[in-house]
Amino acid sequence: MLKNYFKIAIAVLKRRKFFTFISLFGISLTLTILMVATALVDKMFNPGYPDYNQNRSLYVERIEIKNSKEGWVNMSNLSFYFFEHYVSKLKTVYKMAISSGQKSSNAYVNNKKLVIDYKYTNADYWNVLAYKFLEGKAYGDKEIKSADRVTVITKKTKEAYFGDEKSVVGQYISADNINYRVIGVVDDVSGSARNFTGGMYLPYSLSKDSQETGLMGQYNAVLLARTESDVSKMKNEFAQMMKKVPIPPDFDSIYCNADEFKTSVTRRMAGNSTSNGVAKVITLGSIFVLLFLLLPTINLVNINITRIMERSSEIGVRKAFGASSKTLVYQFIVENLILTFIGGIIGIFLSILVIYLINESDYVPNFNLSMNLTVLFLSLLNCVLFGLISGVYPAWRMSKLNIVKALKA
Amino acid sequence: MIRLQNIEKVYRTETVETLAINSISLDIARGEFLSIMGPSGCGKSTLLNIMGLLDEPSKGNIKIDNQDISSFSDKKLANFRNQKLGFIFQSYHLINDLQVLDNVELPLLYRTSSPKERKALATEALEKVGLSNRLKHFPTQLSGGQRQRVAIARAIVGKPQIILADEPTGNLDSAMGNEIMEILMNLNKNEGTTIVMVTHDESMAQKTHRLVRLFDGSQVQ
Ligand SMILES: Nc1ncnc2c1ncn2[C@@H]1O[C@H](COP(=O)(O)OP(=O)(O)O)[C@@H](O)[C@H]1O
Ligand SMILES: [Mg+2]
């Protein structure tokens, strides 16, 4: 039976090449966009290297200071002082990786300008995050205390600045006219891991603002708990601590959150200091996906109705010779599933191509999107849903067709 | 075999009401070859469709093989048609996307049979109509007479007890028409199939056992 459905489905697809093309185009394009989008979202929420301790970590990125009478709001990253003076005293914080946002510096290689992004970190940064050292090692408390001009650079920076040289530890790199001694080379971090990516890492003691005592600054931190179960305690302790942080003059409230990784992403995308944005992101995401699926589905339903009505003589004959309405609905749904599956397979190949092109283009450095199995599975599920949704209504309508009318048409 | 009692069929549109069949009662015996004649629009097709359970009468009662089908569900009705009835239409109604063999196998798809059985039965039916060398052709590659023979093969492949043919020779020249008539007469004689045929051709009607004439929805002979 299935083989017969297949035969007629393929024959119809071949006969109506234009319809087939439009349908397949719609299905495969929609699926491609969905798959690439899920791969992007997946990457955003699971960035991987070098942050493998997400389950044991909380992320502190932003502080908000308000004067509710005047309606003033100041929002920024935090000061090094804040982390050192308040957060490092928390008992549940096992280790803390503090780092500044990225800044650009200029270097010159053979009279050509080279832009290197750099950031300041503390010593524990290298213990919390699992950077892969290709040579040398990280700086420690000793280098930080004496404010040594040392640096850990990434492989890309090394290649851009030193060319093919095998080992560069001990050599000097000059950025913004300051010479730093290279003490380690690490693998590059994807640009999507925005708090960890960079080209050059420097001891925070070299930065001018590490001595300032305000709350606002350019730093963020990853707080690592001893165990996963300590994370919620750490969150509590952090919140308690925030109540005791003195509010700067002229203001009446301060907000700062230590969030789990995923929450930190949604807060950044859709939340603010008092709402974590999870519900908003989920709602908007679902609405987007629904709308996005709805348009091609309606389109397919329309195409399907036209296609099926063209075959009213066939429907009449099948019914006359003993097909029940149910059997016919089944046949047309199977035909539609075959169509959507072909579209799905094309879509999967297109997605692989698009993801490959995105990774190659280097638009976001070291992005490395991947089609993971979850994405693939969800996409296939999409196909089935697509086939059912866009096939059921036309099939049902056509099965209700009066035989005599169907044969006359 | 077929018993119609006081069948009436009214077509209602927004503006007009057409009485297509006006109280017809008819008894058709097992093995009978009956022809229906009458001017265009007098209700021949409507009557045949009602006998074939393709359309419901507005009033009246139908019994086929002593079964009252008025209470049948869609599924049961479909199954009943599949087992008992075979149809031949004036415009063939073959599925152009399918090869001759697949067209003929169609009624067997809706009962339990293996692909092998289906193929054997369809080949046998096509042999009976003299088309065993056209199995892999598509309908559009055949002449009108050949297409109608494929349609006959499809109607007989499930070995139904009744064949309903609506102007089966209407689109054919007289030589081809005679061939088709020959096949139907043999079917009736050799297999005992009950046949009801609508026709415009007086000479063909004369070859059947009984002739029913309609005029304006009523039986006049
Ligand atoms: N679906 C319909 N709606 C309205 N009137 C119809 C319909 N089908 C047939 N009729 C009318 O019923 C009458 C009988 O039609 P039909 O049985 O096709 O005649 P015949 O087959 O004898 O030419 C005609 O007057 C025709 O116009
Ligand atoms: Mg007619």
Side-chain angles (χ1 to χ4, degrees):
Chain A
M1 198 71 165
L2 226 52
K3 193 178 147 213
N4 291 282
Y5 290 167
F6 214 87
K7 252 189 209 167
I8 185 98
I10 298 298
V12 172
L13 291 183
K14 270 200 204 146
R15 178 162 55 81
R16 302 306 315 257
K17 289 195 176 64
F18 183 67
F19 269 157
T20 307
F21 171 76
I22 295 282
S23 308
L24 288 180
F25 185 75
I27 297 164
S28 54
L29 200 72
T30 311
L31 278 174
T32 304
I33 293 174
L34 274 180
M35 275 191 259
V36 173
T38 34
L40 281 171
V41 169
D42 188 56
K43 188 77 189 176
M44 207 150 66
F45 286 97
N46 301 296
Y49 175 74
D51 185 14
Y52 295 120
N53 284 321
Q54 278 183 17
N55 293 340
R56 271 171 65 195
S57 303
L58 290 175
Y59 299 75
V60 183
E61 297 180 350
R62 218 160 48 160
I63 187 162
E64 206 173 295
I65 306 182
K66 272 189 191 161
N67 179 330
S68 36
K69 269 192 224 112
E70 305 282 345
W72 301 340
V73 183
N74 280 357
M75 201 160 65
S76 89
N77 293 114
L78 296 123
S79 65
F80 197 89
Y81 171 81
F82 171 80
F83 289 116
E84 186 161 61
H85 197 76
Y86 298 103
V87 187
S88 68
K89 310 235 159 95
L90 301 182
K91 290 190 206 74
T92 47
V93 175
Y94 170 55
K95 279 177 184 168
M96 174 161 57
I98 309 173
S99 64
S100 70
Q102 279 189 89
K103 287 185 191 161
S104 310
S105 66
N106 296 326
Y108 292 89
V109 186
N110 300 328
N111 287 328
K112 263 176 71 189
K113 192 170 110 176
L114 176 67
V115 176
I116 303 177
D117 292 325
Y118 68 96
K119 58 195 279 150
Y120 297 109
T121 79
N122 65 347
D124 259 349
Y125 183 83
W126 303 106
N127 299 323
V128 173
L129 299 159
Y131 278 87
K132 189 176 163 213
F133 277 83
L134 303 172
E135 60 169 311
K137 60 179 179 51
Y139 40 82
D141 288 327
K142 187 175 132 276
E143 286 88 352
I144 289 200
K145 201 169 266 171
S146 51
D148 286 350
R149 292 216 170 105
V150 291
T151 180
V152 171
I153 62 174
T154 66
K155 187 164 168 246
K156 272 217 172 124
T157 307
K158 173 196 153 188
E159 283 164 1
Y161 193 87
F162 295 104
D164 300 335
E165 279 190 53
K166 229 178 169 181
S167 168
V168 298
V169 166
Q171 301 205 43
Y172 285 86
I173 183 167
S174 173
D176 283 346
N177 292 319
I178 301 170
N179 280 324
Y180 299 97
R181 184 165 49 87
V182 176
I183 63 166
V185 180
V186 292
D187 243 350
D188 283 84
V189 173
S190 161
S192 59
R194 59 198 290 278
N195 287 339
F196 312 120
T197 186
M200 194 174 170
Y201 302 84
L202 302 170
Y204 75 87
S205 46
L206 294 177
S207 88
K208 294 185 197 85
D209 60 6
S210 63
Q211 307 301 324
E212 290 169 10
T213 54
L215 294 175
M216 300 188 142
Q218 56 164 335
Y219 289 89
N220 63 73
V222 182
L223 318 186
L224 187 67
R226 267 175 206 87
T227 61
E228 272 182 44
S229 55
D230 263 7
V231 170
S232 57
K233 283 185 210 151
M234 186 160 80
K235 204 175 162 81
N236 272 334
E237 202 187 359
F238 185 90
Q240 293 305 319
M241 174 207 84
M242 278 314 295
K243 287 182 190 157
K244 293 188 196 124
V245 173
I247 299 169
D250 294 337
F251 291 91
D252 53 30
S253 53
I254 55 178
Y255 302 94
C256 179
N257 298 285
D259 285 324
E260 285 85 4
F261 182 77
K262 290 186 169 71
T263 321
S264 78
V265 176
T266 57
R267 191 188 294 279
R268 194 157 63 221
M269 278 164 58
N272 53 42
S273 53
T274 46
S275 122
N276 61 21
V278 173
K280 206 163 157 192
V281 166
I282 291 177
T283 316
L284 287 177
S286 322
I287 291 176
F288 173 77
V289 170
L290 269 182
L291 280 182
F292 194 74
L293 278 177
L294 196 66
L295 290 179
T297 307
I298 291 174
N299 190 19
L300 266 188
V301 168
N302 261 325
I303 291 181
N304 278 338
I305 289 179
T306 325
R307 266 157 78 113
I308 291 178
M309 290 310 159
E310 269 180 3
R311 291 162 68 186
S312 67
S313 149
E314 176 188 336
I315 293 162
V317 166
R318 286 184 188 272
K319 278 192 154 184
F321 281 101
S324 65
S325 294
K326 218 167 109 189
T327 323
L328 280 177
V329 169
Y330 182 60
Q331 176 192 339
F332 282 94
I333 288 175
V334 170
E335 276 189 28
N336 207 46
L337 280 176
I338 292 171
L339 179 75
T340 40
F341 260 103
I342 297 174
I345 288 167
I346 297 174
I348 287 173
F349 278 110
L350 268 180
S351 316
I352 292 173
L353 184 74
V354 170
I355 285 174
Y356 171 79
L357 288 177
I358 290 179
N359 288 343
E360 282 296 290
S361 76
D362 227 23
Y363 179 64
V364 178
N366 315 304
F367 209 7
N368 288 326
L369 283 183
S370 56
M371 285 261 295
N372 62 23
L373 282 177
T374 324
V375 173
L376 197 73
F377 173 76
L378 284 177
S379 311
L380 285 177
L381 199 73
N382 265 331
C383 276
V384 177
L385 261 171
F386 225 72
L388 285 179
I389 295 172
S390 61
V392 168
Y393 174 69
W396 174 81
R397 246 190 70 174
M398 133 271 92
S399 75
K400 293 280 161 254
L401 222 57
N402 173 290
I403 304 178
V404 176
K405 277 189 191 139
L407 285 172
K408 255 183 200 160
Chain B
M1 190 70 191
I2 305 176
R3 168 165 291 176
L4 304 181
Q5 282 175 317
N6 306 317
I7 295 293
E8 207 175 292
K9 179 73 184 178
V10 184
Y11 286 112
R12 281 191 187 86
T13 61
E14 275 167 31
T15 46
V16 279
E17 230 176 63
T18 319
L19 187 60
I21 302 284
N22 185 8
S23 192
I24 290 184
S25 297
L26 206 56
D27 244 324
I28 301 166
R30 189 179 292 272
E32 196 174 10
F33 193 161
L34 180 105
S35 52
I36 301 176
M37 291 192 77
S40 185
C42 70
K44 306 181 295 293
S45 296
T46 307
L47 186 67
L48 204 70
N49 290 335
I50 288 173
M51 280 185 211
L53 313 179
L54 303 181
D55 211 351
E56 278 179 50
S58 311
K59 264 189 206 156
N61 202 309
I62 312 164
K63 269 191 179 164
I64 293 182
D65 207 8
N66 272 325
Q67 293 190 59
D68 189 347
I69 49 82
S70 56
S71 61
F72 280 18
S73 65
D74 175 75
K75 198 176 164 200
K76 213 165 167 199
L77 210 57
N79 196 39
F80 192 83
R81 277 199 295 269
N82 182 266
Q83 299 291 335
K84 304 261 177 200
L85 302 166
F87 298 90
I88 302 168
F89 308 99
Q90 180 176 358
S91 48
Y92 327 127
H93 284 309
L94 298 176
I95 299 173
N96 287 329
D97 289 319
L98 294 179
Q99 291 172 352
V100 164
L101 191 65
D102 290 320
N103 263 290
V104 176
E105 280 184 23
L106 185 127
L108 306 178
L109 292 180
Y110 304 110
R111 42 174 95 165
T112 41
S113 61
S114 69
K116 231 172 152 181
E117 267 177 282
R118 286 203 289 269
K119 193 170 175 192
L121 284 171
T123 312
E124 185 192 317
L126 280 161
E127 262 163 29
K128 276 187 199 155
V129 298
L131 278 177
S132 43
N133 53 350
R134 295 283 191 280
L135 307 187
K136 296 286 164 199
H137 283 60
F138 283 92
T140 46
Q141 298 167 324
L142 302 178
S143 73
Q146 287 172 324
R147 286 186 210 186
Q148 196 59 299
R149 282 191 275 156
V150 175
I152 294 177
R154 177 178 64 187
I156 63 174
V157 73
K159 304 201 162 50
Q161 294 164 322
I162 302 165
I163 292 225
L164 302 172
D166 194 349
E167 302 189 40
T169 61
N171 286 355
L172 304 175
D173 63 35
S174 61
M176 284 188 185
N178 285 332
E179 273 178 34
I180 298 296
M181 191 59 197
E182 201 69 31
I183 294 173
L184 291 179
M185 279 166 50
N186 281 334
L187 196 64
N188 173 255
K189 201 160 64 194
N190 301 336
E191 325 251 335
T193 311
T194 310
I195 301 180
V196 183
M197 176 180 78
V198 171
T199 181
H200 276 298
D201 190 320
E202 194 80 39
S203 66
M204 283 186 189
Q206 294 307 334
K207 293 181 191 164
T208 64
H209 303 157
R210 175 153 68 119
L211 172 60
V212 167
R213 281 184 201 274
L214 297 188
F215 190 80
D216 249 1
S218 302
Q219 188 179 348
V220 290
Q221 178 193 322

